[in-house]
Amino acid sequence: MTKIEIPLDHPRRGSLETREKIIEGHETHVVATAGLLAHGRGEAFDYLIGENTTELAEQASRAAVAAMLSAKHPVISVNGNICSLVPNELVELSEICGAPLEINLFYYRKEREDAIKNALFAAGAKEVLGTHDRPSATIPELSSNRRKVDPDGIGAGDVILVPLEDGDRTEALKALGKFVVTIDLNPMSRTAVYSDITIVDNVIRALPLMVEQAREMKDLPKDDLRLIVEDFDNTNNLATSVHIIMNHLEASIYDIDKMRQKFYAGENKQ
Ligand code: PTJ
């Protein structure tokens, strides 16, 4: 297995460690080859939002958790990338919100399904839906592998958390009348735009925060939770997220200048 030693003082240590998780997930069949590319796209957008959870993302996350806690039948859709990055938090969130975990893959292969199922069980899951040995229903609007859903999971669900999802699937879930919550670093992606609540953040930071918020909010009355959801405006959330990126880009113009001045002032010369 390729495992590189990342120096403790490497300025991008966190990002490289996350990359290693994805690479390892690919080697164990959890992550699709296309998942490596999807991760790279995510990394680029994370850079643009400043590699931090913004206050805006924190609010979106709160609304997302409120939607899951007040749902009749919340479900968490699991793909390769999310499973390789935050398996323990998926299981914790699933338990706190009473939301079953359903494997739903775009690039389906039986060995990937098995690897993901095993990773979830190793992280403490007691039940995993969406596997080949379970009954399946189909989303008629979809032609990809993701058209198959578990009738006890997404098929019956009212609020579906779909982290890192492709746009067609989100569109189909909306056409079926589901309330869709997503986590996507790209506020302009079709999934981000079609969803009811979009957390514009890296799943690496978003899932632990959701677990923390779910613990804090789990005993709130349902009416209070519903009010939090009703008060949330995803159009405003996405537009402000794009503004955050624009402001960050603008600030970088000065950062580049400062970095170059520092570098060429001789601090890095032998
Ligand atoms: O495991 P499978 O077979 O179901 O396939 C999963 C992938 C992710 C390969 C599949 O869903 C896919 O191709 O997704 P897309 O269309 O590339 O979309 C992924 C979205 O997630 C993009 O908008 C990325 O910017 C975003 N993204 C990538 N990494 C992260 C992320 N968002 C949050 N956190 C990340 N770590």
Side-chain angles (χ1 to χ4, degrees), residues 38 41-42 79-80 105-107 112 146 184-185 201-203:
R41 183 150 49 151
N79 66 20
L105 303 180
F106 190 80
Y107 300 98
R112 289 196 58 220
R146 277 179 168 163
D184 194 326
L185 277 159
D201 200 5
N202 196 324
V203 296

Side-chain angles (χ1 to χ4, degrees), residues 101-138:
L101 297 165
E102 173 167 342
I103 300 177
N104 201 275
L105 303 180
F106 190 80
Y107 300 98
Y108 181 84
R109 273 190 296 127
K110 163 91 172 37
E111 65 180 343
R112 289 196 58 220
E113 178 191 299
D114 290 344
I116 292 170
K117 186 174 78 176
N118 292 338
L120 292 174
F121 279 130
K126 293 182 187 71
E127 189 189 26
V128 175
L129 304 181
T131 51
H132 70 283
D133 50 349
R134 294 213 18 107
S136 76
T138 50

Side-chain angles (χ1 to χ4, degrees), residues 46 102 141 163 166 249:
D46 205 10
E102 173 167 342
E141 286 83 356
D166 89 297
L249 281 172

